Amino acid sequence: MKGAVTVESKRVLMTGNEAAAEAAIRAGCQCYFGYPITPQNELIAYMAKHMPAHGRVFIQAESELAAISMVFGASLAGARAMTSSSSPGISLKQEGISYLAGCQLPAVIINVQRGGPGLGNIDPAQGDYFQATKGGGHGDYHIIVLAPASVQEMHDMTFQAFDLADQYRIPVMILADGRVGQMMEPIRLQEGPAPIPPAKPWALTGAKGRAPQCIRSLFLEEGALEKHNLALQECYRRIAAADTKLEETHTADCEWLIAAWGTCGRIGKGAVQKARAQGIKAGLIRPLTLWPFPYERLARLGAQVKALLVVEMNCGQMLEDVRLAVNGATPVHFSGYPGGRVPTVSDVFNALTALVRQ
Amino acid sequence: MKTTKSGYRRPASLTKAPMHYCAGCGHSTAHKLLAEVLDELEISERTIGVAPVGCAVLAYFYLKCDIAEAAHGRTPAVATGIKRALPDRIVFSYQGDGDLAAIGLAETIHAANRGEQITVVFINNTVYGMTGGQMAPTTLVGQVTATSPSGRESATMGGPLRMCELLNTLDQPYYIERVALDSHAGVLATKKALRTAFQAQVEGRGYSFVEILSACPTYFHRSPLESLKFVGGEMAKQFPVRIFRKEGVALHA
Ligand SMILES: Cc1ncc(C[n+]2csc(CCOP(=O)(O)OP(=O)(O)O)c2C)c(N)n1
Ligand code: SF4
């Protein structure tokens, strides 16, 4: 791993984008297809340099439509495959993500979010929560969505994403933002041999010694699509039961709960610590999986606290899931930063104390 | 191969499923020729095809090899992903003119330009068959379709895209040929072109492209026989039948 600065014996200084790229290589990603866009350019450049050096496939595709379709091809051939982009490019990838979901193909997709809608700006944002967690493309499907708040998590979640994708035969998205993607932090790299992917008897590798197979999302036979969609939903239920992940800080006795994800979750943690130092019983819930969403845990916490504060770099997207979970048991307030501005610990602390004073 | 009493031989790589194609449709013949080539080169067990969105979307019912179904037009990009992941397999895409020359034009050109080691089989029937006979990028000037009811008018709708000529401007392609399924000789020529294209891939020579002028009697609004005349006549006039690129060398620049 040339170019990285070794900080201590086992820690290296990297950007989140590079950390994700290195994690993919360590997880055994065999094929990467991308198209340049800020703020994820360090990722594609890292892959361009390192994938061929490992004897793996790197293609700069002609568009995000093509890149995700190449991922589709590599995945259906049994390879571990990944693409990365930022918001406008992820919109184009929705076509392929829907086909991946329909064909039950594993894939890893990294979205280093920037401001939107349209071209927006190139600052950090969390405006793609709805798109990532509610389907994004056409049809009745979900993908697993992981939300890193640090360079270390960018690395670890990308590494885990390949196993999750293979285990459930589902696309997994890392929903990061420009802040997490571009900042540098010292991290510990995933060590040891690359995980061994499960056998993929469904993959198209040529029909030697077996009957020909096909991978498709078209089901014209009577009742076939309904059956297929119900099977997908069953898979989603299994994922929700086994792999809903969250981080809690000071929730055991908290009366005021901040709910935030990714970068905002990290800032929210700072605000909780500041509030605790002043005797305010604040706590934080930070979903690590945005889909599946921790509805049950939030429902229980909602019944416990006096009020909730949702903080996001958007106009209120996870807010809707929090409200759904809490279901009116307690007031849910919102602090939003939709234009590329990253809130400070003081911003969130002030919003929280305003609630407490109310 | 099995020979029936009528003399028709079904290639081993063709299933027994009755085809859903209309009477006189070029897809049926093209499938059969493709299956024969897979048989003759003995590659069906290491071949992965990519079916388009179009009338041939159900190709996996008919061809006895692994087949994937791509999103409309992304067919060569999907083929690229497969071939790069499994370089020792034979990978082909099979596409109509809407899939290849309209919505998937970028994927078509860039796969060719990268010299992907795949074979692209292009069925040019000048119309969108599956969706009801709308105008295609290859619709002839004056041709009446559902979306050019007064005939295609080049001033506002553009003229027919000549894909072989277009791809022949690129450096990387190894083999480019246009053939016509309009006659017995045309069938033989098509088979030969497909065989050359797949042979090139077997030998790892590079990107190969076969455009097949093909009848769609339903949306030509002609009988199957009249449709063959249209393919060999007006279509072949617009789309000259010839080898454009052989062993990486442009023959008709
Ligand atoms: C994204 C998208 N747009 C449009 C369609 C509808 N559609 C299905 S097939 C087709 C055109 C098929 O025509 P062609 O590629 O020429 O193949 P043919 O049916 O003539 O063999 C279209 C527009 C689709 N399935 N997906
Ligand atoms: S509509 Fe045209 S292309 Fe489609 S099956 Fe019928 S004849 Fe063939």
Side-chain angles (χ1 to χ4, degrees):
Chain A
M1 208 204 18
K2 286 163 244 137
V5 183
T6 304
V7 180
E8 292 165 13
S9 55
K10 277 192 181 133
R11 297 173 87 199
V12 291
L13 192 62
M14 299 180 105
T15 64
N17 286 331
E18 292 165 328
E22 181 60 30
I25 291 169
R26 287 173 185 242
C29 173
Q30 291 150 285
C31 301
Y32 171 90
F33 309 102
Y35 187 86
I37 185 169
T38 308
Q40 65 82 57
N41 288 321
E42 299 80 10
L43 209 167
I44 182 171
Y46 194 96
M47 291 306 244
K49 193 167 166 192
H50 294 274
M51 287 292 275
H54 284 84
R56 321 254 182 105
V57 175
F58 169 90
I59 297 182
Q60 176 172 330
E62 56 271 30
S63 71
E64 290 85 352
L65 290 165
I68 193 76
S69 299
M70 291 174 190
V71 167
F72 181 91
S75 174
L76 73 82
R80 288 196 148 180
M82 180 172 107
T83 184
S84 64
S85 186
S86 177
S87 309
I90 296 292
S91 290
L92 286 185
K93 289 189 199 293
Q94 294 304 328
E95 175 189 77
I97 295 172
S98 169
Y99 279 78
L100 285 163
C103 293
Q104 294 175 277
L105 290 175
V108 176
I109 302 135
I110 299 188
N111 180 1
V112 185
Q113 292 168 97
R114 57 189 257 177
L119 271 181
N121 60 22
I122 56 169
D123 296 328
Q126 297 184 316
D128 302 348
Y129 178 96
F130 283 154
Q131 185 195 52
T133 62
K134 308 298 177 193
H138 62 285
D140 221 347
Y141 73 91
H142 281 291
I143 60 173
I144 295 176
V145 183
L146 308 176
S150 64
V151 175
Q152 184 71 59
E153 280 187 355
M154 198 66 173
H155 185 70
D156 295 344
M157 284 179 171
T158 304
F159 190 83
Q160 290 151 8
F162 285 90
D163 282 344
L164 278 172
D166 278 341
Q167 183 185 345
Y168 294 110
R169 293 182 56 186
I170 192 172
V172 179
M173 180 178 282
I174 310 294
L175 192 59
D177 62 59
R179 163 70 77 93
V180 176
Q182 293 194 310
M183 70 182 170
M184 286 186 110
E185 288 183 313
I187 63 162
R188 246 175 250 285
L189 296 168
Q190 296 279 347
E191 297 293 353
I196 297 164
K200 300 183 177 180
W202 46 264
L204 303 190
T205 54
K208 196 170 171 62
R210 60 156 171 79
Q213 296 179 164
C214 78
I215 285 187
R216 57 174 175 151
S217 57
L218 180 72
F219 295 92
L220 294 175
E221 309 83 12
E222 173 109 37
L225 183 59
E226 183 172 332
K227 204 170 143 209
H228 175 65
N229 274 325
L230 292 175
L232 288 182
Q233 294 300 320
E234 180 48 37
C235 175
Y236 300 154
R237 272 191 290 278
R238 280 194 291 125
I239 297 170
D243 281 294
T244 304
K245 299 271 153 59
L246 59 132
E247 183 193 76
E248 297 186 32
T249 309
H250 296 308
T251 48
D253 65 342
C254 77
E255 295 173 354
W256 309 93
L257 184 66
I258 295 175
W261 57 282
T263 291
C264 283
R266 187 169 174 164
I267 295 158
K269 199 169 182 174
V272 164
Q273 273 147 6
K274 196 167 169 183
R276 283 273 165 177
Q278 299 193 11
I280 300 168
K281 286 193 169 172
L284 174 87
I285 178 166
R286 177 167 75 92
L288 303 176
T289 54
L290 299 179
W291 195 92
F293 188 76
Y295 290 107
E296 284 173 26
R297 183 62 188 139
L298 254 163
R300 272 185 279 131
L301 285 170
Q304 168 191 324
V305 302
K306 291 183 176 149
L308 263 113
L309 176 66
V310 178
V311 184
E312 294 182 90
M313 295 190 294
N314 59 38
C315 293
Q317 299 198 11
M318 184 181 80
L319 173 66
E320 294 194 1
D321 280 324
V322 173
R323 288 208 166 120
L324 209 61
V326 169
N327 199 16
T330 191
V332 177
H333 301 268
F334 180 66
S335 250
Y337 301 84
R341 181 157 74 88
V342 179
T344 62
V345 168
S346 298
D347 287 332
V348 179
F349 174 77
N350 291 340
L352 183 72
T353 49
L355 267 189
V356 174
R357 276 199 301 272
Q358 251 176 33
Chain B
M1 280 195 202
K2 292 197 183 92
T3 308
T4 64
K5 273 185 202 148
S6 65
Y8 170 79
R9 295 184 302 168
R10 183 169 39 77
S13 297
L14 204 65
T15 68
K16 286 181 188 163
M19 290 192 186
H20 72 284
Y21 300 114
C22 311
C25 174
H27 280 303
S28 320
T29 317
H31 281 18
K32 188 197 164 203
L33 298 175
L34 189 52
E36 284 180 0
V37 168
L38 297 183
D39 282 0
E40 286 172 20
L41 298 179
E42 298 181 347
I43 52 174
S44 63
E45 290 191 338
R46 61 181 178 113
T47 293
I48 303 156
V50 188
V53 176
C55 280
V57 66
L58 300 178
Y60 42 77
F61 285 150
Y62 313 128
L63 292 171
K64 261 197 230 168
C65 63
D66 279 5
I67 294 200
E69 183 191 87
H72 193 23
R74 313 295 165 233
T75 331
V78 173
T80 296
I82 299 171
K83 184 72 181 190
R84 293 290 187 116
L86 300 171
D88 62 346
R89 304 306 198 279
I90 303 301
V91 180
F92 72 90
S93 73
Y94 182 104
Q95 306 173 254
D97 36 59
D99 197 84
L100 183 136
I103 195 166
L105 184 61
E107 285 80 358
T108 296
I109 289 178
H110 287 278
N113 196 43
R114 285 190 305 267
E116 295 296 341
Q117 306 267 334
I118 58 172
T119 299
V120 174
V121 180
F122 170 33
I123 304 293
N124 178 359
N125 60 13
T126 72
V127 286
Y128 286 12
M130 189 188 216
T131 39
Q134 295 88 352
M135 186 176 73
T138 51
T139 297
L140 303 185
V141 172
Q143 190 176 340
V144 172
T145 71
T147 49
S148 57
S150 310
R152 183 176 194 169
E153 184 208 343
S154 47
T156 55
M157 304 170 185
L161 274 183
R162 286 182 283 265
M163 289 309 303
C164 287
E165 287 82 344
L166 211 152
L167 294 178
N168 202 23
T169 64
L170 308 175
D171 293 336
Q172 289 303 316
Y174 179 77
Y175 175 72
I176 301 173
E177 179 168 1
R178 182 185 289 125
V179 288
L181 279 178
D182 63 332
S183 61
H184 181 64
V187 169
L188 294 181
T190 301
K191 163 112 176 257
K192 190 162 168 236
L194 287 171
R195 196 183 154 117
T196 311
F198 277 90
Q199 183 66 35
Q201 189 180 163
V202 168
E203 292 170 7
R205 307 266 178 205
Y207 175 90
S208 50
F209 183 89
V210 179
E211 173 173 346
I212 303 175
L213 304 184
S214 176
C216 172
T218 303
Y219 295 112
F220 287 178
H221 307 289
R222 287 173 157 94
S223 71
L225 215 56
E226 286 301 311
S227 294
L228 293 183
K229 282 190 194 145
F230 179 76
V231 171
E234 283 144 283
M235 272 182 78
K237 205 183 284 167
Q238 175 66 39
F239 304 109
V241 167
R242 59 166 73 126
I243 297 175
F244 289 83
R245 177 82 58 113
K246 199 175 167 182
E247 294 173 9
V249 179
L251 304 181
H252 289 271

